[in-house]
């Protein structure tokens, strides 16, 4: 889930297997390179599969991807409910000069296209499963083996 387009791709695949061209058409703000990167990452992580067969080449969700999609729909429902508050906070920060120079290309329209309101309403009111909090285990320097990766270098 390192790619910003991955959740949107997964939502589109929840409707069934789709070839690259249909995904590209549904996400016009992403370049072919960005979409390919998102798809490869999702395949690598086991959330989707790529069927290159001649009958119906395309991408589809795996059971692991389906389970993650239910969580993503909860996140979308929260986002849709609090969108105006987030936008107001950003505008206040920008007026005060404390805003981030980073711009977000994921607009509400993009969310609405990918996450149709009907899919959110089917989840609304359903009891949420109890989730354990994520706890990152500390990494000590004694557990590291071998030289540091050049990407992690501070020099």
């Amino acid at each position: 889930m390192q790619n910003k387009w991955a959740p949107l791709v997964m939502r589109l695949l929840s409707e069934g297997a789709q070839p690259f061209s249909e995904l590209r058409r549904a996400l016009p703000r992403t370049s072919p390179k960005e979409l390919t990167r998102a798809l490869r990452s999702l395949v690598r992580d086991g959330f989707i599969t790529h069927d290159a067969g001649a009958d119906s080449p395309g991408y589809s969700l795996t059971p692991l991807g389906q389970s993650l999609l239910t969580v993503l729909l909860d996140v979308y429902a929260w986002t849709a409910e609090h969108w105006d508050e987030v936008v107001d906070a950003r505008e206040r920060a920008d007026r005060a000069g404390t805003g981030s120079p980073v711009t977000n290309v994921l607009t509400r329209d993009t969310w609405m296209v990918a996450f149709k309101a009907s899919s959110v309403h089917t989840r609304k009111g359903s009891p949420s499963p109890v989730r354990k909090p994520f706890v990152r285990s500390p990494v000590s320097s004694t557990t590291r083996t071998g030289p540091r990766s050049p990407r992690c270098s501070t020099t």
Side-chain angles (χ1 to χ4, degrees), residues 93-132:
D94 290 345
R95 280 193 304 270
T98 59
S100 168
V102 177
T103 58
N104 188 354
V105 297
L106 294 178
T107 63
R108 186 179 189 136
D109 293 337
T110 305
W111 278 93
M112 294 308 286
V113 167
F115 288 87
K116 295 178 182 155
S118 61
S119 66
V120 173
H121 293 301
T122 58
R123 300 259 323 137
K124 198 165 188 119
S126 63
S128 297
V130 175
R131 295 186 181 100
K132 293 181 181 178

